[in-house]
Amino acid sequence: MARRSGYWIGFFLVLGALGAAPLVLPEFWRRFVTEILIWGLLAMSSDILIGYTGVVSFGHSAFFGLGMYGAAFGLLRFRPNLWLALAFGLLAAATVAAFVAYFSTRLRDIYFSICTLVFSQIFYVIIFTWTEVTGGENGLVFRQPPLSVPGWQRAFTPATLHWFVLSIVTLTYLALRQVTRSPFGMVLQAIRENESRTMAIGYDVKRYKIVAVMLSGLCAGLAGILYAVQNRFVAPNFVFFDVSGEVVIFNVLGGMGTLVGPVLGAAVFFLLREGLSRYFTEYYLIPVGMIFMLTVIFLPQGLLGFLRRQLNQ
Amino acid sequence: MIQLLNGLVNGMILALVASGLTLIFGIMDVVNFAHGELYMLGAYVGTTVLAAGGSFWLALGVASVTIFCLGAAIQLVTLRPLLGRDPLATILATFGLSLVLQNYALWQYGPVARKIQEPFTGHFRIFQLEYPWYRIIIAVLSAAIMLALWLFLKRATWGIWIRATAQDRTMAAAMGIPVPLVHTAVFSLGGAMAAASGVLYGPLVGVDQTLGPGSWWSGGWATSAARCWRPSSSACSSRSRRSG
């Protein structure tokens, strides 16, 4: 009981700090925190696969990117409405996720990773070359939709945008937390521990994995929509492999299988990038890659797992 | 027809890189996401030797030896501590490695592509077209290197040790084979083969740091090539692992 109340105290403390962030932080860091939240959501979505189902997706950029492009499509071709963008983005991400899930879940281990990677690159090439719809290499630029509920409408300020992102990320987090604790989530963890045995018990492993990939893709799409709304543009770079790679880095740095860990990982990664690019300019990935390898070797549970173990001792 | 010939030549080069990759995958169960980077660094070492006035063949040799040593160092530092851990850990570690190597190349050699001068510029006529000798030679050379590898695995003591390790790691260790050393050697050997193909292929495509965006090359080849290697060598090992 004490543990659970401790969890909620921690939860509300962090939520409060993040909620207060736009009021106290200067402009640059405010934007920085919003961005971390969005990338954190993407990392969290990938954690369902890496941390809970035990398969590494190297293709999350596809879901993220399709969410972005879906939102942009809705905003440009129809009305500049936030909820319409959300609906279009989620629809696009879900379609792609269903497609990828159907094929990739036939495979295991590294073959799954490579399959997702290949699919994400296929979508990258499609987006890169289909200039009439996607704007090709230049991407698409659009106006930010206003924050609207029926009967009330107001343009986003940096603070309201931050709160909007924060509330969506928090809601998704709570939903995913519930999912991972549900019987469904338990089966996913059983697949991670021993796929053959789970199959032998009588679970339709493939169907569970398909749902896991789709759920993960949907959340990644959500992150893409938020990113598109925040930055008012979409570009094919976000569908490229680099993004998928970064998502895996967030997970490993922060701690797989914790949902919060990847968000922490994203925060650490971006702080490292800010800090290190002063000294290493665009080669900051050299030290980051080294830190990443050290984490893999010495902190297999990631930062969060490490902190947890220290606290428990 | 010229397409067919080109396809054959490119296929030989890819087969050379992929054979290094499968060597590593089949024996160590390590999916080497940094393989493309070793290939690229090999090509860069080649350009450095050429710039210093060395001949093409010297460049080929130096690149292979350098990457062989680099591979040994990498294996000792990053992969050996992960022996016996989840295969996921090695994927992630080599992925981190590929980031480091790729950006190192960018930092050291800059973003401008370099060219390796081909050692033969002769042409011959085929199907009313001029076809460069060099392409034929690299195809033959790749085939020769792979044949040498095959003979090495088949006949040499080390080759037999490698095959034994691939079949059953524990049993091989019990028989007195220095398994950790075999792993290091295999990783270096795979790296050296990647480097050699990097230099060989250098004259046909420019050399820049995106030459081996790790995942790309290694990833694609892993699926296609690994399947060929696995059924023979690791049917036993995977079975023993599952029961263990």
Side-chain angles (χ1 to χ4, degrees):
Chain A
M1 206 57 215
R3 276 197 75 137
R4 183 170 292 178
S5 61
Y7 168 80
W8 286 112
I9 291 172
F11 174 78
F12 282 113
L13 276 179
V14 172
L15 191 64
L18 286 173
L23 302 177
V24 291
L25 289 176
E27 178 60 35
F28 173 78
W29 291 103
R30 186 161 53 193
R31 203 182 153 72
F32 193 73
V33 175
T34 316
E35 206 147 296
I36 284 178
L37 280 174
I38 296 173
W39 289 109
L41 177 61
L42 178 63
M44 205 194 292
S45 76
S46 143
D47 195 25
I48 300 172
L49 295 181
I50 300 186
Y52 288 92
T53 320
V55 287
V56 184
S57 156
F58 267 109
H60 254 57
S61 59
F63 310 136
F64 184 73
L66 262 290
M68 287 179 99
Y69 274 93
F73 188 79
L75 290 174
L76 284 174
R77 299 282 165 116
F78 295 92
R79 269 176 299 145
N81 180 311
L82 183 64
W83 307 108
L84 191 76
L86 267 175
F88 266 93
L90 286 179
L91 191 69
T95 316
V96 171
F99 185 71
V100 173
Y102 179 77
F103 290 102
S104 61
T105 49
R106 289 156 182 265
L107 305 165
R108 275 190 193 187
D109 305 335
I110 181 64
Y111 302 110
F112 176 89
S113 309
I114 291 169
C115 187
T116 50
L117 170 63
V118 168
F119 272 119
S120 76
Q121 293 293 26
I122 291 175
F123 286 110
Y124 170 72
V125 172
I126 292 176
I127 285 174
F128 198 88
T129 46
W130 196 9
T131 315
E132 304 93 80
V133 176
T134 61
E137 195 178 354
N138 297 323
L140 300 169
V141 183
F142 46 86
R143 288 172 54 180
Q144 197 167 39
L147 177 62
S148 62
V149 282
W152 183 87
Q153 186 164 317
R154 192 75 55 84
F156 272 119
T157 65
T160 52
L161 180 68
H162 177 84
W163 287 323
F164 176 70
V165 169
L166 180 63
S167 55
I168 286 195
V169 172
T170 312
L171 287 177
T172 317
Y173 164 66
L174 290 175
L176 287 182
R177 183 166 176 269
Q178 215 52 47
V179 166
T180 53
R181 294 168 155 223
S182 67
F184 171 76
M186 295 296 161
V187 176
L188 291 189
Q189 288 169 61
I191 294 175
R192 175 189 67 193
E193 294 303 326
N194 193 329
E195 186 167 339
S196 317
R197 201 166 287 173
T198 316
M199 211 181 286
I201 293 172
Y203 287 105
D204 188 349
V205 167
K206 195 171 161 250
R207 192 183 292 169
Y208 276 91
K209 276 165 122 183
I210 288 182
V211 177
V213 174
M214 287 198 60
L215 181 68
S216 177
L218 212 57
C219 297
L222 192 58
I225 300 163
L226 292 180
Y227 196 82
V229 168
Q230 189 206 10
N231 290 293
R232 281 165 276 173
F233 76 95
V234 295
N237 281 11
F238 293 103
V239 197
F240 195 60
F241 165 70
D242 292 10
V243 172
S244 310
E246 276 173 11
V247 172
V248 176
I249 298 180
F250 300 158
N251 270 284
V252 174
L253 277 185
M256 299 173 272
T258 54
L259 289 184
V260 198
V263 185
L264 178 70
V268 171
F269 180 85
F270 282 107
L271 283 173
L272 277 177
R273 188 167 82 177
E274 283 305 317
L276 291 171
S277 39
R278 298 217 176 125
Y279 306 101
F280 294 89
T281 58
E282 73 254 49
Y283 314 116
Y284 69 92
L285 275 175
I286 299 177
V288 168
M290 284 178 178
I291 292 171
F292 178 78
M293 281 196 287
L294 290 176
T295 319
V296 172
I297 295 174
F298 294 110
L299 299 178
Q301 304 293 317
L303 282 175
L304 195 72
F306 177 70
L307 290 177
R308 233 183 229 171
R309 205 157 5 127
Q310 292 296 312
L311 289 176
N312 284 347
Q313 269 171 9
Chain B
M1 271 327 233
I2 207 82
Q3 296 294 335
L4 193 71
L5 213 53
N6 273 338
L8 208 63
V9 170
N10 291 343
M12 287 316 276
I13 289 283
L14 293 192
L16 186 59
V17 190
S19 60
L21 190 73
T22 32
L23 194 67
I24 294 171
F25 182 46
I27 287 155
M28 303 168 62
D29 281 321
V30 168
V31 180
N32 187 12
F33 262 74
H35 205 70
E37 271 67 27
L38 293 177
Y39 166 92
M40 165 202 70
L41 279 180
Y44 267 125
V45 173
T47 60
T48 311
V49 173
L50 283 173
S55 75
F56 181 83
W57 305 110
L58 186 67
L60 186 64
V62 170
S64 306
V65 172
T66 315
I67 302 300
F68 185 88
C69 299
L70 180 70
I74 287 171
Q75 203 274 342
L76 286 178
V77 176
T78 61
L79 291 176
R80 191 172 281 186
L82 294 175
L83 198 65
R85 285 250 296 268
D86 197 23
L88 176 60
T90 56
I91 299 178
L92 296 173
T94 49
F95 172 66
L97 190 65
S98 79
L99 289 181
V100 175
L101 294 181
Q102 199 175 325
N103 284 280
Y104 171 76
L106 182 66
W107 176 47
Q108 199 62 31
Y109 296 97
V112 183
R114 300 185 179 206
K115 180 116 173 85
I116 295 181
Q117 199 57 48
E118 47 204 80
F120 305 101
T121 44
H123 294 254
F124 67 96
R125 287 189 70 83
I126 182 169
F127 313 121
Q128 288 98 33
L129 279 164
E130 294 281 324
Y131 201 77
W133 270 115
Y134 179 68
R135 285 181 177 248
I136 301 295
I137 285 169
I138 53 177
V140 172
L141 255 180
S142 305
I145 294 177
M146 277 184 285
L147 187 71
L149 177 74
W150 182 75
L151 280 175
F152 170 76
L153 286 176
K154 200 84 189 159
R155 301 256 176 243
T157 317
W158 270 91
I160 294 170
W161 284 1
I162 289 173
R163 282 188 296 140
T165 311
Q167 267 190 13
D168 194 327
R169 207 174 282 163
T170 324
M171 198 61 202
M175 291 300 190
I177 294 172
V179 171
L181 205 60
V182 168
H183 279 194
T184 310
V186 163
F187 194 83
S188 316
L189 200 63
M193 289 175 68
S197 40
V199 177
L200 284 176
Y201 210 34
L204 304 190
V205 294
V207 181
D208 70 11
Q209 86 283 350
T210 55
L211 195 59
S215 47
W216 231 172
W217 295 58
S218 29
W221 298 336
T223 27
S224 53
R227 293 254 153 126
C228 314
W229 182 286
R230 297 223 90 181
S232 58
S233 66
S234 75
C236 318
S237 67
S238 63
R239 208 176 305 138
S240 65
R241 223 179 307 127
R242 210 153 290 150
S243 63

